[in-house]
Amino acid sequence: MSTAAHCFVPYPDAPVASSPDGPLAGLRLAVKDIFDVAGYPTGCGNPHMLAMSGIKTRSAPAVQALLDAGARFVGKVHTDELAFSMNGRNAHFGTPRNGAAPDRIPGGSSSGSAAAVSNDLADIALGTDTGGSVRTPASHCGLIGLRPTHGRISLADVMPLSPTFDTCGWFARDPGVFARVGEVLLGEDSVVLPENPRAMVAADVLALLAPRVQAVFCATLDRFAGVLGTPQPVKTASVSFEALFWAFRFIQGYQAWQSHGEHIRRHDFQLGPGVAERFAWSATVTPQQMQQHSAVRWSFRDDFARLLGADGVLLLPTVPDIAPRLIDPEPALEDYRNQAVRMLCLAGLSGLPQISLPLMRLDDAPFGLSLIGPPGSDRSLVRFAARLMHECA
């Protein structure tokens, strides 16, 4: 096990059986350390959780499905603490190396997963995405990453954060490999996109971004005119982005405290910077605030589903910019996170699938292009994304 990328949790090796054949035979699999893997503890990026874990006797269904399909387990990988960050920094266990931009953060909370794949230490890696924890590191590390339709892949035997937002996603470098994982984990689509979906551009999201980001995004769309045609500019936020941001924050915070507050208080968890403040704020969210912001969520969800219909694909940059630098201070990272949530919460609040593709670059660093599709269209969204990547090759 390589230590150069600082992505693997240094647990003692335990045998993890996998099928000798299958669609994923020979592919190296890394697993975020909030999924249970038989023979290992589940540390969740926090020393207290690690101490309480014990050795697990069964693997999470998503892990087991990949093992049964022939993937070869190569280790558990670091996560941001309790999966409640998008930076990739862990105050207790360090920061995994961004294989595509070593002077920049890898993004989180699936930081070790993205680092393992971007440093070619794994072919595929499981992660989770609540507020952007697959999509963000995929953009930062130059990878393909999917947040699936909410509830489509089992999260049994996986640490919860905010259950109505939590999803199981994965990373790969190669679109063919990525699609094969989807065939194992996703099952059949309930909505199948047409070969040439109705392409739309999130014009109101784009207006939030810096001119240089808008320019590279528009230039990228021009490169794909043969596949996309001329995408229709649309307004995605049926209410303000500020309202969507706070709806996401309040719902996530309330549920995060329900998931972890009792342990944090009882055992006096010593949480790292950023994570400590988020949990302290989450402890103040009331059921009434949760109910109020949930009403915003359901109204937006209906409007957004109507916008996409059964044939639409929405295009937008995955995050506001390339990854911040490792030397950037915590307040700057928190500002970036808050900007990112305003974009990432579209799929989070609506429960729709979003795939990030490594199709853009800025300042010689990777920058993701995202596609959001209708609920249940995940596999056909992955196929359409592969067409774009082939067009780019």
Side-chain angles (χ1 to χ4, degrees):
M1 182 183 296
S2 172
T3 59
H6 192 67
C7 55
F8 289 103
V9 184
Y11 292 136
D13 286 339
V16 177
S18 62
S19 174
D21 49 32
L24 306 180
L27 295 179
R28 299 163 296 167
L29 167 67
V31 177
K32 184 178 183 177
D33 193 25
I34 70 171
F35 290 79
D36 288 356
V37 175
Y40 288 83
T42 302
C44 305
N46 175 271
H48 305 271
M49 293 288 280
L50 176 58
M52 294 188 294
S53 167
I55 301 300
K56 305 304 181 182
T57 57
R58 66 180 183 185
S59 297
V63 175
Q64 193 61 52
L66 298 180
L67 297 172
D68 292 344
R72 177 171 59 87
F73 176 77
V74 293
K76 299 195 84 177
V77 285
H78 287 296
T79 172
D80 286 22
E81 190 170 14
L82 298 174
F84 207 4
S85 177
M86 293 197 309
N87 295 333
R89 289 175 165 177
N90 186 304
H92 311 289
F93 303 115
T95 305
R97 178 181 184 270
N98 182 335
D103 62 330
R104 297 181 181 274
I105 63 170
S109 62
S110 305
S111 52
S113 302
V117 176
S118 67
N119 285 284
D120 196 20
L121 301 173
D123 302 298
I124 53 178
L126 275 180
T128 57
D129 189 307
T130 300
S133 290
V134 165
R135 292 164 289 166
T136 299
S139 180
H140 290 355
C141 295
L143 302 172
I144 311 168
L146 176 74
R147 174 198 169 88
T149 299
H150 185 264
R152 182 142 184 188
I153 302 173
S154 171
L155 283 173
D157 302 315
V158 181
M159 184 211 81
L161 178 63
S162 179
T164 68
F165 293 137
D166 295 345
T167 61
C168 170
W170 72 96
F171 302 89
R173 297 179 302 278
D174 178 80
V177 168
F178 194 89
R180 282 152 59 194
V181 175
E183 290 167 8
V184 171
L185 291 178
L186 291 169
E188 295 301 319
D189 280 348
S190 58
V191 172
V192 178
L193 287 166
E195 182 178 354
N196 294 302
R198 177 172 51 92
M200 295 170 282
V201 170
D204 51 350
V205 173
L206 207 58
L208 300 174
L209 305 179
R212 69 191 192 101
V213 174
Q214 296 181 29
V216 73
F217 175 75
C218 293
T220 302
L221 294 187
D222 289 344
R223 283 165 47 207
F224 297 129
V227 176
L228 297 173
T230 303
Q232 175 191 3
V234 295
K235 178 183 178 182
T236 61
S238 52
V239 294
S240 69
F241 280 104
E242 200 68 10
L244 295 181
F245 170 81
W246 285 113
F248 181 85
R249 285 287 311 279
F250 273 94
I251 297 168
Q252 182 193 38
Y254 181 84
Q255 294 182 354
W257 190 251
Q258 298 303 305
S259 294
H260 296 291
E262 182 180 352
H263 276 150
I264 289 171
R265 280 186 169 153
R266 178 186 298 176
H267 302 290
D268 190 24
F269 279 21
Q270 302 302 298
L271 301 169
V275 178
E277 288 78 8
R278 280 190 282 281
F279 272 112
W281 180 82
S282 296
T284 70
V285 180
T286 66
Q288 292 76 18
Q289 289 171 317
M290 167 73 172
Q291 185 176 12
Q292 171 193 346
H293 288 285
S294 291
V296 174
R297 175 191 192 175
W298 300 127
S299 174
F300 163 73
R301 185 175 182 139
D302 290 344
D303 292 339
F304 201 46
R306 279 193 293 270
L307 177 68
L308 288 171
D311 65 341
V313 168
L314 182 73
L315 296 108
L316 69 165
T318 303
V319 285
D321 210 326
I322 56 176
R325 295 189 183 276
L326 288 168
I327 60 173
D328 287 349
E330 189 66 35
L333 295 178
E334 187 66 12
D335 286 347
Y336 180 88
R337 177 182 183 274
N338 290 335
Q339 292 175 48
V341 168
R342 283 169 168 78
M343 304 169 62
L344 295 161
C345 72
L346 295 176
L349 290 166
S350 65
L352 302 189
Q354 179 174 354
I355 188 168
S356 181
L357 305 175
L359 292 177
M360 302 190 291
R361 293 188 73 81
L362 271 170
D363 298 339
D364 203 31
F367 187 40
L369 174 77
S370 267
L371 311 175
I372 299 177
S377 68
D378 307 54
R379 285 182 63 177
S380 52
L381 185 68
V382 169
R383 285 195 295 272
F384 184 65
R387 277 183 64 196
L388 291 184
M389 290 197 69
H390 178 74
E391 193 75 11
C392 185

